């Protein structure tokens, strides 16, 4: 149980294009999902908290117009990297909390490697 | 602000031996949650163990156990009978109390190598 699917696992795009990453909770409902960014050999940095049916909460320093988050249902959140540039190349990971489940446990997707040429 | 510190960037252990990974944190809260997550080369984050601060008893999960010292704000992970599959990056994480949008604050990680 508590499986989070993230798609795509790897995407290569040209500079200036937009890329959408999907995060789905497969066997549970998630009122809250989280988006992280991880640079090579570094820790996970929280980018934003995605709340179903409302606007996402962004961490300080994260551009909300650059990283668009939509959480339209209890099982799906999307992260769109708009007008991607090489500096946006990174590993993006989503996680989800089980609605009404054990407090504070987050289940993670397998991540998306974004390479911007 | 809450912070999590892992002072061991890399550790190595022989197969079947025991290893302890260190973690300290800083918070002014009295109730919170602590976690150890494992990230193998696949980069899939896997929950290893979880501790609730109000519980004095140390959490255990099979070969994994923690030494939770609340006063010292220390939360170390002990891996017994180490296996090759335990090789991974291990992250200690803190989550504050509160509502549904509890964040996870991660340490910088410890890379564990298991020698056959």
């Amino acid at each position: 149980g508590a499986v989070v699917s993230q798609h795509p696992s790897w995407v290569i795009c040209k500079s200036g294009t937009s890329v959408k990453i999907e995060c789905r909770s497969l066997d549970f409902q998630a009122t809250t999902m989280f988006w992280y960014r991880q640079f090579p050999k570094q820790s996970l940095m929280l980018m934003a908290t995605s709340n179903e049916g409302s606007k996402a909460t962004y961490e300080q320093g994260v551009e909300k117009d650059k990283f668009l988050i939509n959480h339209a249902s209890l099982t799906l959140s999307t992260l769109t990297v708009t007008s991607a540039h090489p500096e946006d190349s990174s590993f993006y990971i989503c996680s989800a909390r089980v609605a009404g489940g054990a407090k504070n446990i987050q289940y993670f997707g397998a991540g998306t490697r974004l390479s911007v040429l | 602000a809450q912070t999590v510190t892992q002072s061991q960037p890399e550790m190595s252990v022989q197969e079947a031996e025991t290893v302890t990974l260190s973690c300290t944190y800083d918070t002014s809260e009295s109730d919170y949650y602590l976690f150890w997550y494992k990230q193998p080369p696949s980069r899939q984050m896997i929950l290893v163990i979880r501790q609730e601060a109000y519980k004095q008893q140390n959490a255990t999960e099979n070969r994994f156990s923690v030494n939770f010292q609340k006063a010292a704000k220390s939360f170390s992970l002990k891996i017994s009978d180490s296996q090759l599959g335990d090789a991974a990056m291990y992250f200690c994480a803190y989550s504050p109390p509160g509502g549904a949008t509890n964040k996870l604050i991660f340490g910088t990680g410890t890379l564990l190598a298991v020698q056959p």
Side-chain angles (χ1 to χ4, degrees):
Chain A
V3 177
V4 176
S5 173
Q6 191 172 338
H7 179 81
S9 57
W10 195 358
V11 57
I12 302 173
C13 69
K14 292 182 179 180
S15 185
T17 61
S18 295
V19 174
K20 180 184 285 188
I21 302 170
E22 292 187 346
C23 182
R24 293 182 184 273
S25 56
L26 296 186
D27 51 1
F28 66 96
Q29 293 183 330
T31 51
T32 305
M33 291 184 173
F34 303 85
W35 288 95
Y36 296 85
R37 186 171 180 176
Q38 186 179 30
F39 290 103
K41 298 185 179 181
Q42 293 190 24
S43 188
L44 281 72
M45 291 180 54
L46 180 65
M47 299 175 64
T49 301
S50 168
N51 301 298
E52 187 267 335
S54 64
K55 292 183 178 180
T57 302
Y58 290 82
E59 295 299 299
Q60 191 173 8
V62 177
E63 301 175 57
K64 61 180 181 181
D65 295 330
K66 173 76 171 176
F67 300 99
L68 299 179
I69 291 172
N70 184 277
H71 193 160
S73 77
L74 286 172
T75 58
L76 174 64
S77 176
T78 59
L79 169 68
T80 301
V81 183
T82 62
S83 186
H85 291 285
E87 57 267 29
D88 298 323
S89 298
S90 189
F91 193 69
Y92 294 87
I93 308 175
C94 73
S95 71
R97 280 194 67 242
V98 178
K103 286 186 177 181
N104 299 62
I105 293 180
Q106 293 183 23
Y107 297 95
F108 286 80
T112 297
R113 184 186 305 276
L114 171 63
S115 298
V116 185
L117 305 178
Chain B
Q2 296 100 348
T3 58
V4 178
T5 302
Q6 292 178 252
S7 59
Q8 306 155 316
E10 297 182 13
M11 291 283 284
S12 182
V13 63
Q14 291 291 131
E15 196 174 3
E17 297 294 310
T18 296
V19 65
T20 298
L21 308 184
S22 301
C23 173
T24 59
Y25 57 94
D26 188 25
T27 183
S28 59
E29 304 286 350
S30 60
D31 190 20
Y32 47 85
Y33 302 85
L34 296 165
F35 305 83
W36 279 97
Y37 278 90
K38 167 184 176 181
Q39 188 179 41
S42 68
R43 302 191 78 172
Q44 171 75 60
M45 294 286 284
I46 301 166
L47 177 63
V48 175
I49 201 164
R50 167 178 172 262
Q51 176 81 41
E52 298 174 57
Y54 69 88
K55 291 186 177 179
Q56 292 186 338
Q57 187 173 6
N58 290 325
T60 62
E61 286 288 340
N62 301 314
R63 297 183 296 106
F64 299 88
S65 61
V66 298
N67 183 3
F68 173 48
Q69 300 291 326
K70 191 172 184 179
K73 296 180 182 176
S74 171
F75 183 61
S76 60
L77 174 70
K78 185 172 82 171
I79 305 174
S80 304
D81 185 26
S82 297
Q83 301 175 0
L84 295 177
D86 295 333
M89 180 72 85
Y90 286 81
F91 291 100
C92 178
Y94 164 96
S95 182
T101 57
N102 302 99
K103 303 176 185 179
L104 278 177
I105 300 168
F106 286 93
T108 51
T110 296
L111 183 61
L112 177 66
V114 181
Q115 307 299 330

